[in-house]
């Protein structure tokens, strides 16, 4: 098998890094003091295996019971746990196409079947999307396109599913809505969240699952005993409790996103309206080679992401950085045209 290929993480400096959807801004100052405190007081002991204080903090933040929350080592860990818990060799995993390439890799590692089912022309999930699936993953907003399906529509698909239906909400904080409020209405609906993007903590590795307590109880059986460490738990609790800080940086990113979308349209690109912290654009009326643009930007030390999806075609995905970073990106892009 081909393993998962993460986005490039250059270890030499000097790049404007707009390729892996990290936050444009630093985490809350409260996170940094929580990390210092945790590192000073408690590294000698094992962490709380179920991260009780995080479950409480996330419960407060989302208005759900802590029993509905499971802490994970990044949301990729959440996706692994969900796959392990649901898929035997005979089972089928379903995900839309194009979307997050990790799902297929998880299916291969688990030794189960995998099917990528294309979105319809107008970006919806086709009827009977979950047919035959033991587990279905739907990133919402989707990556790399940034498109968004309404929670009501997600619920319809979850209700007709025979297995778990996972809304991968890694980018939900940048969108107009989310599915957490629906978890109590449908036991098959599971939500995964990440602190890597909106939480500005990709370096910490923390994500979580929101699901019916009965589902959480089963998932607990397959996780690593200490899947989250003391320092990351402390950081995640502090991030959950500082909603005001995160609302402000998210608001800024949405404003920059709007400007970025408009500028790309003015240049003649076909821009997909985004509800995430990145924008997906295709060559549109420019007739430009996107691979060439990608390489020309890289030469100018600006890193974005090039994808070529069979059937869908080529596209570029650019993370919404700070206003300055996006201005520099747009200037460099104009020079390459
Ligand atoms: C980034 C991303 C994740 C993984 O997030 P981590 O919490 O860093 O593991 C999961 N799903 C999607 C769609 C993503 O883009």
């Amino acid at each position: 098998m081909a393993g998962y290929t993460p986005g490039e993480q250059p270890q030499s400096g000097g790049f404007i890094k707009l390729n892996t959807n990290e936050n444009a801004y630093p985490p809350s100052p409260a996170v940094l003091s929580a990390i210092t405190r945790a590192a000073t007081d408690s590294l000698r002991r094992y962490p709380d295996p179920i991260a009780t204080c995080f479950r409480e903090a996330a419960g407060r933040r989302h208005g759900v019971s802590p029993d509905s929350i499971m802490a994970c080592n990044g949301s990729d860990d959440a996706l692994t746990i969900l796959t392990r818990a649901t898929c035997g060799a005979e089972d089928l995993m379903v995900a839309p196409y194009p979307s997050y390439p990790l799902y297929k890799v998880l299916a291969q590692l688990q030794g189960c079947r995998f099917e990528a089912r294309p979105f319809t022309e107008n970006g919806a999930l086709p009827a009977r999307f979950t047919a035959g699936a033991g587990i279905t993953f739907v990133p919402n907003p989707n990556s790399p396109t940034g498109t968004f399906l309404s929670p009501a529509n997600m619920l319809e698909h979850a209700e007709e599913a025979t297995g778990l239906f996972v809304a991968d909400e890694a980018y939900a904080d940048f969108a107009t809505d989310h599915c957490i409020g629906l978890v109590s209405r449908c036991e098959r609906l599971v939500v995964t969240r990440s602190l890597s993007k909106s939480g500005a903590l990709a370096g910490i590795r923390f994500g979580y699952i929101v699901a019916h307590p009965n589902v959480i109880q089963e998932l607990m059986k397959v996780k690593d005993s200490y899947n989250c460490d003391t320092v990351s738990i402390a950081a995640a609790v502090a991030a959950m409790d500082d909603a005001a800080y995160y609302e402000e940086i998210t608001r800024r990113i949405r404003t920059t996103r709007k400007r970025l979308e408009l500028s790309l349209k003015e240049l003649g690109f076909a821009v997909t309206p985004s509800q995430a912290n990145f924008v997906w654009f295709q060559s549109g009326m420019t007739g430009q080679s996107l691979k060439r643009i990608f390489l020309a930007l890289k030469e100018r030390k600006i890193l974005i992401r090039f994808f070529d999806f069979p059937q869908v075609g080529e596209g570029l995905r650019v993370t919404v950085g700070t206003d300055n970073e996006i201005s520099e990106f747009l200037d460099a892009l104009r020079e390459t045209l």
Side-chain angles (χ1 to χ4, degrees):
M1 59 175 281
Y4 178 68
T5 311
E8 216 173 322
Q9 310 295 348
Q11 299 302 310
S12 67
F15 276 95
I16 295 184
K17 197 173 168 307
L18 304 173
N19 67 329
T20 51
N21 304 337
E22 290 140 329
N23 206 297
Y25 300 99
S28 153
V31 169
L32 302 185
S33 25
I35 290 174
T36 310
R37 228 174 304 125
T40 311
D41 296 344
S42 33
L43 292 188
R44 190 168 58 88
R45 306 276 186 205
Y46 277 107
D48 175 355
I50 58 169
T52 307
C53 59
F54 175 79
R55 299 176 87 192
E56 288 166 358
R60 280 195 296 280
R61 172 80 168 266
H62 296 302
V64 300
S65 147
D67 298 341
S68 303
I69 305 283
M70 177 173 179
C72 301
N73 187 14
S75 75
D76 284 351
D77 182 38
L79 305 178
T80 301
I81 289 167
L82 284 158
T83 303
R84 272 195 201 161
T86 55
C87 289
E90 296 305 304
D91 294 311
L92 173 68
M93 177 194 290
V94 166
Y97 178 82
S99 78
Y100 190 37
L102 179 69
Y103 306 129
K104 181 181 178 177
V105 176
L106 292 177
Q108 288 175 310
L109 290 172
Q110 183 75 1
C112 70
R113 295 181 295 133
F114 176 80
E115 248 182 65
R117 297 183 176 163
F119 285 103
T120 64
E121 281 286 296
N122 50 10
L125 298 178
R128 310 260 312 122
F129 182 72
T130 61
I135 192 161
T136 304
F137 287 110
V138 179
N140 198 41
N142 189 39
S143 175
T145 55
T147 51
F148 182 71
L149 303 166
S150 75
N153 185 233
M154 293 285 279
L155 182 62
E156 282 171 36
H157 287 283
E159 278 176 337
E160 73 174 17
T162 50
L164 290 186
F165 183 89
V166 182
D168 178 346
E169 294 196 345
Y171 301 101
D173 287 327
F174 303 106
T176 47
D177 211 344
H178 62 79
C179 289
I180 287 181
L182 299 176
V183 164
S184 61
R185 303 233 320 249
C186 176
E187 203 165 314
R188 301 199 174 283
L189 178 61
V190 171
V191 173
T192 61
R193 287 289 180 104
S194 170
L195 293 191
S196 299
K197 283 53 181 259
S198 57
L201 287 171
I204 276 283
R205 311 306 304 135
F206 206 93
Y208 54 103
I209 299 173
V210 188
H212 190 284
N214 294 343
V215 175
I216 296 287
Q217 217 170 25
E218 297 304 305
L219 296 177
M220 287 287 187
K221 296 176 186 172
V222 305
K223 79 177 188 68
D224 288 349
S225 325
Y226 302 105
N227 63 328
C228 298
D229 63 84
T230 302
V231 173
S232 72
I233 295 168
V237 169
M240 281 289 131
D241 283 340
D242 196 355
Y245 174 86
Y246 284 102
E247 273 162 29
E248 172 55 23
I249 63 172
T250 298
R251 191 191 57 74
R252 279 196 230 167
I253 290 167
R254 286 207 192 100
T255 306
T256 309
R257 177 178 75 196
K258 192 178 273 176
R259 177 167 80 88
L260 171 60
E261 287 176 336
L262 276 174
S263 306
L264 289 170
K265 261 187 239 169
E266 280 168 13
L267 291 173
F269 291 104
V271 181
T272 304
S274 171
Q275 293 229 17
N277 69 333
F278 55 82
V279 175
W280 169 253
F281 61 102
Q282 295 176 287
S283 57
M285 310 206 297
T286 66
Q288 295 274 341
S289 152
L290 298 181
K291 188 67 181 273
R292 190 190 59 75
I293 291 178
F294 165 77
L295 292 171
L297 288 170
K298 191 170 176 181
E299 219 153 79
R300 290 169 168 77
K301 291 264 177 186
I302 297 177
L303 209 49
I304 64 170
R305 196 85 188 256
F306 170 82
F307 289 96
D308 184 7
F309 288 103
Q311 273 107 58
V312 175
E314 299 184 342
L316 293 172
R317 190 191 69 187
V318 55
T319 303
V320 180
T322 62
D323 253 332
N324 278 342
E325 286 172 331
I326 291 305
S327 296
E328 290 198 37
F329 160 74
L330 288 167
D331 288 347
L333 178 62
R334 284 187 196 101
E335 283 172 25
T336 69
L337 298 181

